[in-house]
Amino acid sequence: MSIHGELKDIGNARANTAVPDWLVCPGCGASLANGGSHLYCENCKTRWPIVDGVPHFVEAFPYWGEMPLKEMQEVNRAAETGSWRSALADSSEPAVQRAAEMIFNLERANWHWLFDLPRDIRVLDAGAGMGTTTHALATRYQEVVAIEPVEERVRFMRHRFAQERLANVTILRTSIWKLPFPPASFDLIALNGVLEWVAEGQTGDPEALQLEALTNLRRLLRPGGALYVGIENRFCPEYFIGYLDPHCRLPFVTVLPRAMAHWYARRKGRSGYANYLYSSRGYRNLLRRAGFAQADVFLALPSYNHPRIFLPLDSRVFSYYSRNFNPQRAGRLRSFAYECLLRAGVLQYMAYSFAIVART
């Protein structure tokens, strides 16, 4: 079942500040009453503030972002009084300049072409960050809900979507552990660079927490709905030679057995290793256990953050692409290893990242 009606003229629309009337209490699932300045659950007597039109289902949440907090706050000040684009493009801070490329890059959501979905659907962008994926999806689909727990990122998205006149976007300050939605609310859910983070700050086994998060999201999908997961590959070759994990910034933890990875992380002063990555088979197994009937894995090249090409993992097209379009590897040893892995039919399973399409 999808939302009926024609896609709105997004370019001429004004920013949407209305709070959806179909939200439910993330604790007990009861309907919420809108008190103007807050949402209220009459069943469990819980109240959540509405700040600048955005319901806040989380309060204290540690800052995390593409740039340090000080620079993020300055970007928000500039975006509030001027243009969100200029706030990034005109910054002299190196951290802002590095982050700007990805924040501007609407091609990050090019994976939507992997789905055969109509325009009149409702989409959830879980862990929306600075709003890049939400922005791109809002130009294609009728309704997009962006959830993000970090307050500074929520503020930035408000400026971004208001200035872009994306009236079909709703922002909620909440996390993947406090989902204020009834079952079967969405036709498509985006989980782009998020699954590896869901165990951060939580108590328990990271794999069990990831499984729980995926199961909860699957319940939010309508029959025939789909989930997109963009994420790194555990067995990328560089991790075997000491490249740092991009999440916890430690070497070898992705390829070590989990128990050893936890031990190693604790030896380095961490509480453990929480950012689990998997192989293509591991992701398929995890999604199957979460209740998804099908999971198709694609190679996202050069990465899921900057995707230009999507290749089906289980097809011969990868060999053709590698021999005809992939640049030669520098050095004889690297070229020899590359050719051996290609001939053995395992090179595609060692790509940097995956784009995964899972269906109910």
Side-chain angles (χ1 to χ4, degrees), residues 45-66:
K45 311 304 181 185
T46 309
R47 179 188 300 249
W48 296 272
I50 300 175
V51 182
D52 295 323
V54 177
H56 285 221
F57 291 96
V58 297
E59 295 181 7
F61 196 93
Y63 173 77
W64 185 92
E66 293 82 352

Side-chain angles (χ1 to χ4, degrees), residues 303-322:
S303 75
Y304 78 90
N305 277 322
H306 303 278
R308 296 201 174 270
I309 298 173
F310 295 98
L311 298 178
L313 180 65
D314 300 325
S315 80
R316 296 181 179 179
V317 71
F318 176 78
S319 178
Y320 178 81
Y321 166 83
S322 297

Side-chain angles (χ1 to χ4, degrees), residues 47-221:
R47 179 188 300 249
W48 296 272
I50 300 175
V51 182
D52 295 323
V54 177
H56 285 221
F57 291 96
V58 297
E59 295 181 7
F61 196 93
Y63 173 77
W64 185 92
E66 293 82 352
M67 61 192 77
L69 177 59
K70 181 181 177 181
E71 282 79 359
M72 181 73 242
Q73 291 171 336
E74 181 56 39
V75 165
N76 271 331
R77 281 192 289 268
E80 187 171 9
T81 57
S83 161
W84 73 270
R85 294 178 181 274
S86 297
L88 296 170
D90 296 344
S91 174
S92 60
E93 296 292 340
V96 177
Q97 294 172 358
R98 287 192 297 269
E101 180 181 1
M102 188 167 66
I103 298 170
F104 282 131
N105 183 21
L106 298 188
E107 292 183 354
R108 191 182 183 195
N110 277 353
W111 50 262
H112 73 76
W113 294 111
L114 301 175
F115 297 86
D116 184 18
L117 293 171
R119 287 179 174 263
D120 59 338
I121 65 171
R122 180 187 289 156
V123 182
L124 173 64
D125 186 7
M130 303 289 277
T132 304
T133 297
T134 299
H135 187 162
L137 296 177
T139 65
R140 179 166 182 82
Y141 298 116
Q142 180 167 300
E143 183 179 357
V144 183
V145 178
I147 65 171
E148 170 60 44
V150 177
E151 185 174 12
E152 289 78 10
R153 289 167 139 193
V154 169
R155 286 183 58 201
F156 180 83
M157 283 194 288
R158 279 201 308 105
H159 303 317
R160 178 176 191 159
F161 301 148
Q163 292 171 24
E164 293 295 323
R165 299 186 178 185
L166 295 175
N168 57 337
V169 174
T170 297
I171 307 171
L172 303 177
R173 187 183 176 209
T174 192
S175 77
I176 206 165
W177 299 113
K178 286 191 175 182
L179 297 170
F181 312 115
S185 294
F186 299 96
D187 303 283
L188 172 63
I189 296 176
L191 205 61
N192 202 31
V194 174
L195 181 62
E196 62 271 39
W197 293 105
V198 300
E200 283 281 339
Q202 304 295 315
T203 302
D205 176 63
E207 182 173 335
L209 290 166
Q210 289 174 328
L211 179 60
E212 181 182 354
L214 289 171
T215 302
N216 292 340
L217 292 174
R218 194 256 306 160
R219 294 192 185 105
L220 299 182
L221 285 170

